[in-house]
Amino acid sequence: MRVDATARSSGLSGPLAPVLTCALLLLGCGSVGPPLPPLRNIPERSDDLSARQTMEGVVLEWTWPTLTTEGMPLRDLSEFAVHRLELARLDQVPSREQFGRNTTLAASLKDTALEPFGPGEQVRIIFPAKSLVGKTFAFGVRGSSSRGRTSGFSDPAVIHVVEPPGPPRAPTVTLGQDAIAIEWTAAERASAYRVFRGADPDGPFDEIGRTQETTFRDPDFQWKHHYYYLVRSYGRSATGEVEGPDSSLVDVFTQDTVPPRAPLELRTVVTAKSVELSWQPNGEEDLSGYRVWRAGASGDAVALNDKLLASPTYSDQSVEPGQPYRYAVSAVDQEGNESELSELVAVDSP
């Protein structure tokens, strides 16, 4: 049986069909409202302008708006105008409205200058700091459409520009059993430092700590690895931190050449056939074991055990009756580094 697709799709016949068709058309015409006014396409105001001083200069950053003032996707932004105003005092920061009336144009980003950026991305511009040192400025940014429409300036970002700190001198590193110690000479005009570490001389380098001292301990390392360190100086201005230059790069290979500490509190007990020894256990995580040393009344001590002892006890059953002996113990780590001998303890065998 074949179904007629055309007949089934209408479902109407006879004189009723034109009447219903007319009613449907009237209902459709009634849903059309008055014409909407054209969109003005005004970029939203940037609300996150920041200013900071680095070794590059005075860095301004803000986010490219994604919407218009009417809440529509922003598709027409042709310029960011950056204005600045020199302030006599920090308590003279102008309001947004005052800023717009008294400032001068410091930079304009349009055409090719805008190409590296886009909606929702951070826009960045840098002013050389040398001519601004010793002064305080308020900066503001204003976005405009191709027809010159704008919602006005951002809130001002204020910065006091100072001479940056000098570089820290080349650090020195010292490998310890539980930390790598980094030390450097203080930099001129520096009030703080940040320490960076990487696994490759070409980076990347991650910040691992901040300090106001000229030393830093890095306990988070592994043996048999290369680590590269640099130190960056920071100064202070009336409006915040000022980034200085980096020190030269210094590296260390964590080959474990650090011996354990010498065992402590060696005790002896003389029995009829032996001398029993015990001592305080060492706490090093990479400890491999202990070696017991014995000497006579004179002469150097010699090791009594070839195989390292796992526990801090030893029974010397090779003593000769009536002979004086002196005992000591050393600790050995997994890399074969051996500690100094403990204090010698003298005994007389039975």
Side-chain angles (χ1 to χ4, degrees):
M1 175 181 177
R2 185 172 70 87
V3 176
D4 189 332
T6 303
R8 288 179 60 87
S9 64
S10 65
L12 298 172
S13 61
L16 185 60
V19 175
L20 289 177
T21 302
C22 181
L24 290 172
L25 288 173
L26 288 173
L27 288 173
C29 294
S31 64
V32 177
L36 296 174
L39 296 174
R40 301 188 66 194
N41 293 317
I42 302 174
E44 277 192 335
R45 179 184 290 109
S46 298
D47 60 2
D48 62 346
L49 176 66
S50 65
R52 58 191 175 93
Q53 185 178 350
T54 73
M55 284 304 298
E56 297 177 283
V58 175
V59 180
L60 301 185
E61 290 182 309
W62 66 93
T63 303
W64 185 313
T66 58
L67 299 175
T68 69
T69 54
E70 298 159 304
M72 301 299 292
L74 177 61
R75 307 189 188 281
D76 179 15
L77 191 147
S78 64
E79 180 187 17
F80 283 115
V82 179
H83 285 231
R84 82 180 185 201
L85 174 66
E86 185 174 352
L87 305 178
R89 299 197 313 267
L90 279 174
D91 59 2
Q92 291 182 336
V93 180
S95 66
R96 190 167 57 220
E97 292 74 16
Q98 293 170 330
F99 182 87
R101 293 194 296 267
N102 298 303
T103 57
T104 58
L105 180 67
S108 175
L109 279 68
K110 56 185 177 181
D111 301 328
T112 57
L114 288 176
E115 289 179 1
F117 314 108
E121 297 179 351
Q122 284 289 106
V123 183
R124 190 170 189 260
I125 187 171
I126 303 172
F127 294 96
K130 187 174 182 179
S131 62
L132 309 180
V133 168
K135 301 177 182 179
T136 303
F137 295 93
F139 285 90
V141 64
R142 178 177 63 192
S144 302
S145 69
S146 58
R147 303 182 67 176
R149 290 173 174 168
T150 179
S151 56
F153 282 103
S154 63
D155 288 325
V158 179
I159 185 168
H160 178 64
V161 185
V162 298
E163 188 175 356
R169 300 286 180 88
T172 59
V173 292
T174 303
L175 178 62
Q177 186 68 38
D178 57 353
I180 298 172
I182 306 103
E183 186 172 0
W184 59 92
T185 304
E188 292 182 334
R189 298 177 299 280
S191 59
Y193 305 90
R194 297 185 190 181
V195 181
F196 295 82
R197 186 182 77 178
D200 188 277
D202 297 323
F205 296 95
D206 298 319
E207 182 180 326
I208 60 171
R210 307 184 185 196
T211 179
Q212 294 180 341
E213 308 297 327
T214 56
T215 59
F216 184 81
R217 286 170 57 82
D218 177 15
D220 186 19
F221 72 94
Q222 296 179 349
W223 294 110
K224 296 184 179 180
H225 281 69
H226 261 295
Y227 293 101
Y228 297 86
Y229 294 92
L230 59 85
V231 180
R232 183 175 300 161
S233 60
Y234 284 81
R236 297 290 304 179
S237 77
T239 53
E241 199 170 52
V242 178
E243 183 183 272
D246 295 339
S247 69
S248 56
L249 197 64
V250 63
D251 74 291
V252 62
F253 180 69
T254 55
Q255 178 66 49
D256 185 3
T257 60
V258 182
R261 65 170 175 81
L264 302 174
E265 300 182 15
L266 175 61
R267 297 182 176 89
T268 60
V269 176
V270 179
T271 70
K273 296 182 179 180
S274 66
V275 176
E276 304 297 321
L277 296 92
S278 63
W279 54 92
Q280 184 184 80
N282 280 49
E284 291 86 359
E285 292 183 358
D286 63 341
L287 184 73
S288 184
Y290 303 95
R291 187 171 283 129
V292 177
W293 300 78
R294 187 183 73 183
S298 62
D300 295 332
V302 296
L304 294 181
N305 56 307
D306 294 328
K307 184 178 179 180
L308 294 177
L309 302 173
S311 61
T313 59
Y314 184 77
S315 177
D316 182 10
Q317 301 179 9
S318 64
V319 294
E320 297 181 9
Q323 293 296 317
Y325 293 102
R326 293 173 296 155
Y327 290 93
V329 183
S330 63
V332 182
D333 67 17
Q334 295 173 2
E335 293 294 323
N337 301 306
E338 188 164 1
S339 73
E340 295 181 353
L341 297 184
S342 66
E343 291 187 9
L344 286 166
V345 176
V347 300
D348 290 324
S349 64

